[in-house]
Amino acid sequence: MPKNLAKTNNFSITFVSMNRVSKSEVIAKLQRDILCWEGFKPAKAIGAGLIGLGPVEAAFPNQIFPVGAVHEFICATQEDAAATGGFISGLLKTLMKNGSGCLWVSKSRKLFPPGLSLYGISPDRILFVDVNSEKDILWATEEALKCQGMAAVICELGEVSFNQSRRLQLVCERSKVTSFIIRSDPQKITQTACVARWLVTSIASQTKGDLPGVGFPRWRAELLKVRNGNPASCEVEWSKGKFKVFQQQDAVEASVKRKYA
């Protein structure tokens, strides 16, 4: 093929490159290009595979967990809320590795701060703000998200409207700070502007052999909805200071998707 044609035609460049790279790499590049042509603006992301969630992490666009965006967690029961708090603590371990702090806003905080040490986080690196109304939670969350030095802002809400989530998402995109919204009333789930919607439930831990006691924390993490990505789920364990996938599920259960997606 003439060299001048390869320099002036993008498709020709792609054709020539196929001799040097694998077919999967070419397809992956085309998928990224299509997302850009559709107007998708990728969120700031950390390195691939650093979170340790395996197939769930790979379900995000470009297979990278997005930061500088809003993640929504659905909690059907108080037990789910407790499991979600532990799971988010594991995520914070990676987000706070550069020494940044976090803000946790709620009106009935359920997290036990000393328990953060299990995830390698010193409780004094998280500022807990307890307020009297959800209106105050939204205001404090939005103001905290404007602080670019924050690693993340976590808030506990009963519900959030599309406009409210859109407002928080826009602030995240400007400041590049990640936000986690813990929603405690799944009966009022509506469409939101959040980048991802999660459902985290606890599962029984296991000990080695027949030893009595309690093993490492375990969760079933389901990514119900992700912008420009695919639903996925897996079962993970927190051990040795990181997530460890021990069972991958092929797809999110259809009943759960119909209810929450």
Side-chain angles (χ1 to χ4, degrees), residues 150-168:
M150 288 284 180
V153 178
I154 306 96
C155 67
E156 299 180 31
L157 287 169
E159 59 180 324
V160 62
S161 68
F162 179 85
N163 290 335
Q164 290 167 339
S165 64
R166 177 62 176 164
R167 189 181 178 99
L168 295 178

Side-chain angles (χ1 to χ4, degrees), residues 202-219:
S202 61
I203 56 178
S205 62
Q206 291 186 354
T207 58
K208 291 185 178 179
D210 297 326
L211 292 175
V214 179
F216 296 113
R218 289 187 169 188
W219 307 272

Side-chain angles (χ1 to χ4, degrees), residues 27 39 61-62 86 90 99 101 103 129 137 148 176 178 218 249:
I27 293 176
N62 301 329
L103 194 78
V129 178
I137 292 176
Q148 298 181 358
K176 307 304 180 186
T178 306
R218 289 187 169 188
Q249 294 179 324

Side-chain angles (χ1 to χ4, degrees), residues 1-2 5-6 9-21 26 29-30:
M1 179 175 294
L5 180 58
N9 189 310
N10 292 334
F11 293 101
S12 299
I13 293 174
T14 302
F15 176 78
V16 173
S17 300
M18 290 184 68
N19 295 326
R20 304 173 183 174
V21 298
V26 173
K29 183 180 183 307
L30 287 174

Side-chain angles (χ1 to χ4, degrees), residues 193-208:
C194 300
V195 167
R197 176 174 291 169
W198 299 75
L199 177 64
V200 178
T201 53
S202 61
I203 56 178
S205 62
Q206 291 186 354
T207 58
K208 291 185 178 179

Side-chain angles (χ1 to χ4, degrees):
M1 179 175 294
K3 293 183 179 180
N4 59 344
L5 180 58
K7 292 179 180 178
T8 57
N9 189 310
N10 292 334
F11 293 101
S12 299
I13 293 174
T14 302
F15 176 78
V16 173
S17 300
M18 290 184 68
N19 295 326
R20 304 173 183 174
V21 298
S22 66
K23 182 179 179 181
S24 60
E25 290 176 317
V26 173
I27 293 176
K29 183 180 183 307
L30 287 174
Q31 289 175 335
R32 292 193 296 269
D33 292 342
I34 290 172
L35 287 176
C36 293
W37 296 337
E38 291 177 343
F40 171 67
K41 296 179 180 179
K44 182 182 177 183
I46 58 178
L50 289 183
I51 295 293
L53 295 179
V56 171
E57 195 170 347
F60 288 102
N62 301 329
Q63 303 183 354
I64 298 177
F65 183 92
V67 297
V70 179
H71 295 251
E72 175 186 12
F73 289 82
I74 305 302
C75 302
T77 64
Q78 294 293 329
E79 290 78 9
D80 291 348
T84 300
F87 183 81
I88 289 177
S89 299
L91 297 177
L92 294 180
K93 170 69 181 304
T94 301
L95 297 180
M96 298 173 67
K97 64 181 181 180
N98 62 354
S100 301
C102 288
L103 194 78
W104 197 301
V105 192
S106 71
K107 65 175 184 179
S108 58
R109 174 162 44 92
K110 301 175 181 62
L111 184 74
F112 183 57
L116 290 168
S117 58
L118 175 66
Y119 302 93
I121 301 174
S122 177
D124 59 5
R125 293 181 59 194
I126 296 183
L127 179 61
F128 293 96
V129 178
D130 299 330
V131 296
N132 296 322
S133 67
E134 295 204 348
K135 181 179 180 181
D136 291 338
I137 292 176
L138 286 168
W139 179 85
T141 300
E142 182 176 338
E143 292 302 311
L145 286 173
K146 296 177 182 177
C147 301
Q148 298 181 358
M150 288 284 180
V153 178
I154 306 96
C155 67
E156 299 180 31
L157 287 169
E159 59 180 324
V160 62
S161 68
F162 179 85
N163 290 335
Q164 290 167 339
S165 64
R166 177 62 176 164
R167 189 181 178 99
L168 295 178
Q169 176 63 30
L170 290 174
V171 177
C172 286
E173 291 176 2
R174 286 194 293 267
S175 65
K176 307 304 180 186
V177 178
T178 306
S179 179
F180 298 124
I181 299 178
I182 302 175
R183 300 187 62 181
S184 58
D185 192 353
Q187 300 302 319
K188 298 180 181 178
I189 291 300
T190 57
Q191 292 295 325
T192 66
C194 300
V195 167
R197 176 174 291 169
W198 299 75
L199 177 64
V200 178
T201 53
S202 61
I203 56 178
S205 62
Q206 291 186 354
T207 58
K208 291 185 178 179
D210 297 326
L211 292 175
V214 179
F216 296 113
R218 289 187 169 188
W219 307 272
R220 179 177 294 108
E222 302 178 29
L223 190 57
L224 304 177
K225 185 177 180 181
V226 54
R227 187 187 302 172
N228 296 306
N230 300 303
S233 67
C234 66
E235 294 184 356
V236 296
E237 178 181 87
W238 182 264
S239 63
K240 298 181 180 179
K242 62 182 180 180
F243 288 114
K244 177 184 178 183
V245 177
F246 64 91
Q247 183 173 347
Q248 176 179 343
Q249 294 179 324
D250 294 333
V252 180
E253 295 179 7
S255 59
V256 176
K257 287 198 297 182
R258 286 196 299 271
K259 187 173 182 180
Y260 296 110

